[in-house]
Amino acid sequence: QGLEYEIVYVDDGSTDGTLRELYSIDHPRLKVVELRKNYGQSSALMAGIEAAEGEFISTMDGDLQNDPADIPAMVSTLEEKQLDLLCGWRKNRQDSLDRTLPSRIANWLIGRVSGVALHDYGCSLKVGRRDVLEGLDLRGEMHRFIPLWVANLTHPSRIAEQPVNHRARTAGTSKYGISRTPRVILDLLAAWFFLRFRERPGHFFGVAGLMTGGLGALALGYLLLSKLFGGDIGNRPLLITGVLLALVGLQLITTGLVAEMLTRLKPHKQPPLTRDTGHSTWAKGDHDLTD
């Protein structure tokens, strides 16, 4: 369709012949990003996004289940509707129940938390604007929450989805299934915290500390009145409970103050992430993506 494009392959520490095969390809629009070891899908996506140079960036897995032919139509939709992110929707998903059931539960939970109702958060085929995607900071396994993070950078109305083709896996073994449900829940809690309290963590810890400390103060105040009227409070479990609640409340409040101080520290400027290999491809391996 006359689109200018580049192809960025990210080798996430593979141990097969993938990297050798990629370097054997002589194509002027091909880039190869080589990671020194397996950092995970989130870090691999960030490496690819940082290496891309186009106005629009499309992401997809290398498991051959997504169809690259869907990308031009998604780019057209993104431009026509003035969107910042367009997510693929595997409407006729070719996966087993142990993968689709946890995915449906996760999609519902993420939609409730983020306010962005999508049918398929887990589809890796996405198209977004470069200036928006560059603002992401994906770590761990946060790649499944890309729409949620983008919703923090732009208005949710500028995020949509579009049905895409999906194929059955023909090679390799999927690392995702129902066993990852606890990780998804923990990651969702972390994402919810960062999206709501990243700029004001003192509010989260402060409110929790005031509530906990308030309960402790009420318990200790009640015991003080009982003592003044001649009651014996030395052996009452409420005394230990009150002291513990008061200390926990104080700890939460001071944690909130420390967190507020940390958010005001200027981030250290990272060194350049690329090095020239002297070929039509180039590698990224001199930077620790866990920094």
Side-chain angles (χ1 to χ4, degrees):
Q1 298 184 13
L3 294 176
E4 291 291 331
Y5 69 93
E6 64 177 353
I7 303 173
V8 180
Y9 285 104
V10 180
D11 181 81
D12 190 23
S14 65
T15 57
D16 54 15
T18 300
L19 194 60
R20 182 175 62 254
E21 187 71 23
L22 289 174
Y23 280 129
S24 68
I25 302 174
D26 185 15
H27 193 289
R29 296 179 178 177
L30 173 66
K31 292 180 180 178
V32 176
V33 178
E34 177 186 355
L35 304 188
R36 290 185 175 223
K37 66 175 185 178
N38 180 261
Y39 288 98
Q41 188 170 347
S42 294
S43 295
L45 279 173
M46 284 306 304
I49 290 172
E50 292 173 4
E53 299 179 4
E55 179 183 357
F56 304 111
I57 298 177
S58 176
T59 63
M60 63 184 301
D61 288 338
D63 55 15
L64 305 180
Q65 289 191 269
N66 293 123
D67 190 351
D70 289 318
I71 295 177
M74 294 181 71
V75 173
S76 298
T77 301
L78 189 83
E79 290 186 287
E80 291 173 3
K81 297 185 177 181
Q82 293 295 305
L83 301 173
D84 288 327
L85 178 68
L86 183 62
C87 305
W89 173 16
R90 296 167 293 184
K91 197 170 184 178
N92 297 313
R93 187 171 178 179
Q94 303 298 312
D95 282 321
S96 58
L97 184 62
D98 66 328
R99 291 198 63 191
T100 57
L101 181 59
S103 180
R104 290 176 182 176
I105 297 174
N107 290 333
W108 180 81
L109 286 174
I110 299 172
R112 295 285 294 180
V113 170
S114 66
V116 182
L118 299 178
H119 292 89
D120 191 359
Y121 270 84
C123 182
S124 64
L125 181 55
K126 297 178 174 67
V127 175
R129 297 185 184 275
R130 175 188 174 85
D131 57 345
V132 174
L133 295 182
E134 282 185 330
L136 298 177
D137 184 16
L138 304 178
R139 300 167 184 265
E141 297 185 8
M142 290 294 179
H143 56 273
R144 59 172 62 91
F145 302 125
I146 288 179
L148 192 151
W149 292 111
V150 171
N152 189 49
L153 301 173
T154 185
H155 196 275
S157 63
R158 297 180 66 87
I159 302 174
E161 63 182 348
Q162 181 169 304
V164 295
N165 297 317
H166 193 247
R167 302 163 178 163
R169 179 182 286 270
T170 57
T173 303
S174 173
K175 299 180 178 63
Y176 299 96
I178 198 167
S179 62
R180 294 222 170 197
T181 301
R183 299 185 185 183
V184 174
I185 295 175
L186 293 174
D187 286 342
L188 181 58
L189 289 174
W192 173 81
F193 173 81
F194 278 105
L195 290 176
R196 295 198 60 179
F197 300 103
R198 183 176 184 177
E199 302 299 330
R200 45 190 178 92
H203 289 193
F204 175 82
F205 292 105
V207 170
L210 289 175
M211 293 177 62
T212 306
L215 291 174
L218 288 175
L220 294 176
Y222 169 75
L223 293 176
L224 177 62
L225 291 177
S226 297
K227 182 66 175 179
L228 293 177
F229 285 97
D232 184 13
I233 64 172
N235 296 321
R236 299 185 63 176
L238 186 61
L239 177 62
I240 299 178
T241 303
V243 172
L244 180 62
L245 288 173
L247 291 176
V248 170
L250 179 62
Q251 182 67 48
L252 287 171
I253 292 174
T254 55
T255 299
L257 294 176
V258 172
E260 288 284 348
M261 295 175 64
L262 291 176
T263 59
R264 284 156 176 76
L265 294 177
K266 293 183 178 180
H268 177 68
K269 186 177 181 181
Q270 297 291 345
L273 299 182
T274 63
R275 57 183 173 88
D276 189 3
T277 63
H279 300 85
S280 60
T281 59
W282 54 270
K284 179 183 294 185
D286 293 331
H287 178 68
D288 188 350
L289 291 175
T290 60
D291 288 348

